[in-house]
């Protein structure tokens, strides 16, 4: 097995992407596969996989209501875009469970911090119309509630900052350095690839950086306008992390229980080992960050080279084990009568 692996399939990400893909293709008849894949930050194979699913979607399973989308290998054609037109389908009728889910979700989204007031008011008006149409179901849905985790509020603030072109102040946790840092960023766009990220111009490092939303400990929208430099959007078809050829090379050997490393880390080669493991060669601008990977692997893997990194990883493992044993002894003494 060699080369860069495909990213793990995430059903939620694929669903979001295909919803956007429908609108995108409707406005661009004959779009090139390579251009569409680049625009969505996915590989051409992933795009073709989406196109295999879309013809099974539509307003019903009656003739002409399913999406008639195909490709000749180079371009994408939509033969019946009117299938989703305003006059093409019968009025939408929600089942009781569908109406309940919709109302609960709408009320929850309306409480998100950072939501633009105009969007909040539009959502409230739409919810009221659904409540009227749902009748008795609306009463049942009012007894249910949903609470979003903190990432939802961060997402709303970032989305608002992008829309209003304003700068953000964030306290951000960096797992590689195991520390919280404060910085001001000019947000450029939101990206979802397994997790949700904001691509931004970081004023602290004076460079483009990508921040994972669930690692933002605190966020504040500033009055200063965002003014990122004119830079080309990154091509994310090969994944969010794209090591450079000049980055240091690291060799990791993993047993059968550590083969997942080849699925989650971009790498140059992955050679089969006799015991069912892999010898993985990868590149990273910060080799020290792989010490955490070595600790996580435990007996399922080890860093082979560079030698100084392997030595530091072994030392960190010994220190972690010693600290654990010391804690166990202390705990045992406290509980000895």
């Amino acid at each position: 097995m060699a080369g860069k692996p495909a990213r793990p399939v995430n059903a939620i990400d694929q669903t979001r992407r295909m919803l956007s893909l429908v609108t995108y293709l409707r406005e661009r008849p004959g779009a090139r596969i390579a251009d569409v894949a680049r625009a969505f930050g996915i590989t051409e194979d992933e795009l073709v996989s989406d196109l295999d699913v879309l013809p099974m979607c539509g307003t019903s399973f009656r003739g002409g209501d399913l999406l008639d989308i195909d490709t000749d290998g180079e371009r994408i054609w939509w033969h019946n875009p009117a299938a989703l037109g305003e006059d093409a389908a019968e009025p939408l009728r929600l089942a009781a469970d569908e109406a309940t889910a919709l109302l609960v979700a709408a009320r929850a989204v309306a409480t998100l911090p950072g939501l633009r007031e105009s969007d909040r008011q539009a959502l409230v008006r739409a919810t009221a119309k659904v409540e009227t149409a749902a009748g008795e179901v609306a009463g049942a849905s009012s007894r249910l509630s949903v609470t979003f985790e903190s990432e939802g509020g961060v997402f709303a603030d970032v989305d608002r900052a992008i829309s209003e072109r304003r700068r953000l102040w964030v306290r951000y946790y960096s797992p590689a350095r195991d520390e919280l840092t404060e910085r001001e960023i000019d947000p450029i766009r939101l990206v979802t690839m397994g997790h949700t990220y904001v691509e931004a111009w970081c004023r602290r490092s004076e460079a483009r950086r990508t921040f994972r939303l669930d690692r933002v400990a605190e966020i504040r929208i500033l009055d200063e306008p965002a003014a990122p430099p004119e830079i080309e959007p990154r091509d994310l078809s090969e994944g969010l992390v794209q090591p450079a050829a000049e980055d240091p090379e690291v060799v990791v050997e993993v047993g059968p229980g550590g083969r997942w490393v080849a699925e989650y880390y971009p790498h140059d080669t992955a050679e089969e080992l006799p015991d069912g493991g892999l010898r993985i060669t990868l590149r990273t601008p910060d080799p020290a960050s792989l010490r955490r990977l070595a600790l996580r692997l435990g007996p399922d893997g080890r860093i082979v080279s560079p030698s100084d990194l392997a030595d530091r990883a072994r030392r960190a493992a010994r220190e972690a084990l010693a600290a654990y044993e010391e804690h166990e002894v202390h705990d045992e003494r406290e509980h000895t009568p």
Side-chain angles (χ1 to χ4, degrees):
M1 181 171 62
K4 296 182 178 179
R7 296 189 302 275
V9 175
N10 183 302
I12 294 177
D13 291 347
Q14 186 181 27
T15 301
R16 290 172 177 166
R17 185 171 65 239
M18 288 198 294
L19 289 172
S20 300
L21 191 58
V22 168
T23 302
Y24 187 93
L25 293 177
R26 187 174 183 176
E27 297 173 352
R28 296 168 176 81
R32 293 183 177 276
I33 286 182
D35 294 339
V36 178
R38 190 179 303 111
F40 280 81
I42 58 177
T43 65
E44 293 185 19
D45 286 343
E46 287 174 312
L47 175 59
V48 171
S49 178
D50 289 348
L51 296 177
D52 289 339
V53 175
L54 283 178
M56 293 184 283
C57 305
T59 56
S60 80
F61 286 100
R62 295 177 304 183
D65 287 346
L66 294 177
L67 305 185
D68 186 5
I69 297 176
D70 67 16
T71 174
D72 60 5
E74 181 179 352
R75 294 179 179 272
I76 304 168
W77 301 100
W78 187 344
H79 301 293
N80 64 337
L84 294 186
E86 294 181 0
D87 301 326
E90 296 178 357
L92 178 63
R93 300 183 185 278
L94 295 176
D97 58 339
E98 294 173 327
T100 299
L102 181 59
L103 288 169
V104 171
R107 294 190 188 109
V109 171
T111 66
L112 282 175
L115 189 66
R116 290 188 293 272
E117 189 57 31
S118 59
D119 292 340
R120 192 188 312 279
Q121 292 302 320
L123 183 57
V124 169
R125 290 193 297 271
T127 303
K129 293 179 180 179
V130 175
E131 288 175 342
T132 301
E136 295 181 1
V137 174
S141 68
S142 64
R143 295 191 291 272
L144 301 173
S145 64
V146 173
T147 301
F148 286 100
E149 297 180 358
S150 59
E151 183 180 322
V154 174
F155 182 98
D157 282 340
V158 173
D159 182 55
R160 177 183 169 192
I162 292 174
S163 175
E164 298 179 1
R165 298 184 179 180
R166 291 166 64 182
R167 187 169 297 176
L168 289 166
W169 173 89
V170 297
R171 290 181 68 235
Y172 186 75
Y173 173 69
S174 173
R177 294 186 295 275
D178 193 24
E179 65 178 5
L180 281 167
T181 59
E182 297 182 8
R183 58 187 77 204
E184 293 185 5
I185 62 173
D186 292 341
I188 299 173
R189 62 172 173 167
L190 285 160
V191 179
T192 300
M193 303 182 74
H195 295 278
T196 304
Y197 303 80
V198 56
E199 188 175 12
W201 184 260
C202 178
R203 293 292 165 179
R204 171 174 169 163
S205 58
E206 287 299 315
R208 175 164 45 188
R209 293 288 185 266
T210 304
F211 303 94
R212 214 170 97 176
L213 297 196
D214 62 351
R215 291 177 179 164
V216 176
E218 191 176 350
I219 188 169
R220 188 164 63 244
I221 301 177
L222 303 178
D223 292 332
E224 289 88 345
E230 292 292 334
I231 51 179
E232 287 291 325
R234 290 175 58 197
D235 181 0
L236 301 178
S237 61
E238 295 296 330
L240 193 65
V241 179
Q242 301 173 22
E246 62 271 16
D247 288 341
E249 182 180 274
V250 178
V251 178
V252 180
E253 288 188 354
V254 300
R259 293 179 67 98
W260 56 267
V261 173
E263 299 176 6
Y264 287 90
Y265 285 80
H267 54 275
D268 295 333
T269 62
E271 304 170 9
E272 294 284 349
L273 295 177
D275 65 351
L278 295 172
R279 182 183 178 90
I280 303 169
T281 302
L282 53 85
R283 297 181 182 277
T284 173
D286 183 18
S289 64
L290 293 181
R291 282 183 296 175
R292 185 181 298 273
L293 171 63
L295 291 174
R296 180 180 177 186
L297 284 169
D300 287 326
R302 67 188 183 95
I303 296 175
V304 177
S305 66
S307 58
D308 60 333
L309 177 60
D311 291 339
R312 291 199 298 272
R314 284 191 292 268
R315 185 162 57 250
R318 287 194 296 268
E319 291 172 354
L321 179 60
Y324 173 77
E325 291 175 343
E326 181 180 349
H327 173 77
E328 286 289 295
V329 171
H330 177 74
D331 189 59
E332 183 178 344
R333 286 174 179 171
E334 282 191 344
H335 291 83
T336 300

